[in-house]
Amino acid sequence: MTAAALDRRPENRLVDHFEQGLEAPICLTWELTYACNLSCAHCLSSSGRRDPRELTTEQCEAVIDELQRMGVFYVNIGGGEPTVRPDFWHLVDYAVAHQVGVKFSTNGVRITPENARRLAATDYVDVQVSLDGATAEVNDYIRGPGSYDTALRALANLHEAGFRDAKVSVVVTRQNVGQLDEFKAIADRYGATLRLTRLRPSGRGADVWDELHVLPEQQQELYRWLVAHGEDVLTGDSFFHLAPLGGPLPGLNLCGAGRVVCLIDPIGDVYACPFAIHDEFLAGNVLGEGGFAGVWRDSGLFRELRNPQSAGACSSCPFFDSCRGGCMAAKFFTGLPMDGPDPECVLGHSETALLGQRSVPPASQDHSRPFATRNEPVLVQLQRRRPAAPPVSACAESPLAGFQPAPTPR
């Protein structure tokens, strides 16, 4: 019997083992900084300003040492914009030297030709360039003026440097779901792979959820497109809530929060899910006794998540085994019960609850810059900081102080 056939036997399904949690996460997301040169309308971490309590270089190295001991295969680094941390390139090199692969997400602002060549010469590094519109009009509405050109310039630099298989990372929204073919064409043009993820109503995404999340008919369009292109497109298990439309998509098709995934934020706090940066999902801190391994192994929150979950209101649905009730973060941040249906349930089971009385939780943290409105994202003005006018606090300083970007090609 093949391994694939063995895995399909009910008593040996991988999903059942994963629900009980693993000794180390499959995918560890690490937000290195909340500093960012953009103010994307849907930013799940409400990034913009640096938190002055960020882990130091030495503390980050200690975390990487621990990940190596645990056998974590790779870490998914994000932010904010991680490349604006002065020690970013050092930490990438340190991780790779300690057998921890790095996948990092970037808006492309510092993927210069020189840095692209550096990445192309480094093993075990993957780059995801964020793009939320196949045209500047759609992308820049979400991510801010000029961000489309910045992303394409980064992809071009990586391609010309010989970097293989960069990722074009797209958050699917109401405005761009009709551009999937165009996104695929952009990825193909630069020798990259298209990666689609779901919009979550967390961080600033909560403010624009009603405006940006895909409509029911677009869910069906998205599902059909994923079925047709699934082998050539990555989804990171974002769309398992679509399974009732015709069957599971490739992937684990379950919520892996605290079981196979988690997040470390810039100050070392550990959250159950990269899309649920909120006090309700805080499991501990890497600087505490026992370090990250102790949080992963002993956190009461993680132990609770690894217990069998009740189907709740979804218990009578014949598709529960396929979608598992959907996304925990999407339910939490829309004020729906955790054992209820996903707010984007394709069978419409959440419609009544969404129309009823709900208690939407307030954000527990916000690193947005005060001058950027959430519905009108704007780029930070990249200017040299004047020595005579220091920032009023460490987190008020421009994350790109002193940095001058290359001119945008026209």
Side-chain angles (χ1 to χ4, degrees):
M1 181 178 291
T2 67
L6 180 65
D7 182 52
R8 283 194 297 268
R9 294 191 307 184
E11 68 273 21
N12 286 293
R13 292 190 312 166
L14 280 176
V15 67
D16 294 327
H17 294 291
F18 289 157
E19 280 191 318
Q20 299 168 20
L22 303 178
E23 299 208 0
I26 289 177
C27 177
L28 169 65
T29 296
W30 188 354
E31 311 285 25
L32 276 182
T33 183
Y34 286 131
C36 190
N37 59 305
L38 300 185
S39 296
C40 299
H42 59 11
C43 180
L44 64 91
S45 59
S46 299
S47 289
R49 295 172 298 159
R50 183 181 71 86
D51 192 312
R53 300 170 296 167
E54 277 180 9
L55 297 178
T56 66
T57 300
E58 292 74 20
Q59 289 170 332
C60 289
E61 290 175 349
V63 172
I64 293 170
D65 293 340
E66 190 171 13
L67 299 180
Q68 181 186 22
R69 290 192 295 270
M70 293 177 69
V72 173
F73 182 67
Y74 80 91
V75 60
N76 185 16
I77 290 178
E81 172 53 42
T83 63
V84 306
R85 257 191 77 131
D87 59 0
F88 171 75
W89 301 105
H90 165 74
L91 292 175
V92 169
D93 291 340
Y94 189 89
V96 171
H98 288 75
Q99 293 81 50
V100 179
V102 173
K103 177 186 294 184
F104 72 90
S105 300
T106 177
N107 58 48
V109 68
R110 282 191 164 164
I111 306 300
T112 61
E114 179 184 4
N115 285 334
R117 289 190 293 270
R118 175 177 184 165
L119 289 165
T122 306
D123 292 330
Y124 308 116
V125 173
D126 194 14
V127 184
Q128 297 183 162
V129 179
S130 297
L131 191 69
D132 289 328
T135 59
E137 179 183 13
V138 175
N139 178 84
D140 292 5
Y141 178 71
I142 303 297
R143 304 186 64 81
S147 57
Y148 180 82
D149 291 335
T150 297
L152 262 58
R153 182 172 58 237
L155 288 167
N157 288 342
L158 289 166
H159 186 54
E160 291 168 10
F163 186 92
R164 296 185 178 181
D165 198 26
K167 307 300 183 291
V168 178
S169 184
V170 177
V171 177
V172 179
T173 66
R174 190 176 305 175
Q175 283 77 6
N176 68 23
V177 70
Q179 297 183 321
L180 297 178
D181 288 335
E182 288 83 354
F183 281 123
K184 184 68 169 58
I186 290 173
D188 291 343
R189 184 193 317 161
Y190 295 109
T193 297
L194 179 60
R195 181 178 185 269
L196 302 178
T197 58
R198 180 184 178 185
L199 174 72
R200 264 79 169 196
S202 54
R204 288 197 293 267
D207 295 340
V208 295
W209 169 257
D210 289 336
E211 177 186 353
L212 296 185
H213 80 88
V214 296
L215 299 170
E217 59 269 24
Q218 292 175 323
Q219 298 263 37
Q220 298 181 36
E221 175 187 351
L222 172 62
Y223 179 80
R224 289 192 295 268
W225 196 91
L226 288 173
V227 169
H229 298 84
E231 294 185 1
D232 302 318
V233 176
L234 303 175
T235 61
D237 279 310
S238 282
F239 303 106
F240 57 90
H241 68 294
L242 300 180
L245 291 175
L249 295 164
L252 295 178
N253 288 293
L254 86 157
C255 172
R259 302 180 179 101
V260 296
V261 303
C262 68
L263 173 136
I264 300 174
D265 84 346
I267 66 172
D269 281 342
V270 181
Y271 294 88
C273 171
F275 306 107
I277 305 175
H278 191 279
D279 291 344
E280 288 288 326
F281 302 101
L282 178 59
N285 189 286
V286 300
L287 300 181
E289 186 176 354
F292 172 73
V295 176
W296 180 259
R297 182 182 60 246
D298 301 325
S299 162
L301 173 64
F302 286 177
R303 285 200 299 268
E304 180 181 348
L305 289 171
R306 292 163 188 168
N307 287 331
Q309 302 297 305
S310 166
C314 297
S315 59
S316 61
C317 179
F319 296 100
F320 176 75
D321 283 342
S322 298
C323 82
R324 302 296 176 111
C327 174
M328 176 184 75
K331 288 186 278 192
F332 177 77
F333 287 110
T334 51
L336 296 180
M338 300 299 285
D339 62 351
D342 189 288
E344 291 186 296
C345 172
V346 295
L347 301 179
H349 293 323
S350 61
E351 292 177 1
T352 301
L354 288 170
L355 292 173
Q357 195 99 22
R358 289 178 289 137
S359 178
V360 178
S364 59
Q365 54 181 292
D366 191 345
H367 305 275
S368 305
R369 290 184 300 276
F371 57 80
T373 63
R374 295 183 174 183
N375 289 310
E376 298 176 359
V378 294
L379 283 173
V380 157
Q381 296 300 308
L382 304 180
Q383 299 175 345
R384 292 188 181 276
R385 177 166 56 88
R386 298 176 182 177
V392 294
S393 66
C395 61
E397 181 177 353
S398 166
L400 293 182
F403 174 67
Q404 295 294 326
T408 299
R410 293 294 180 186

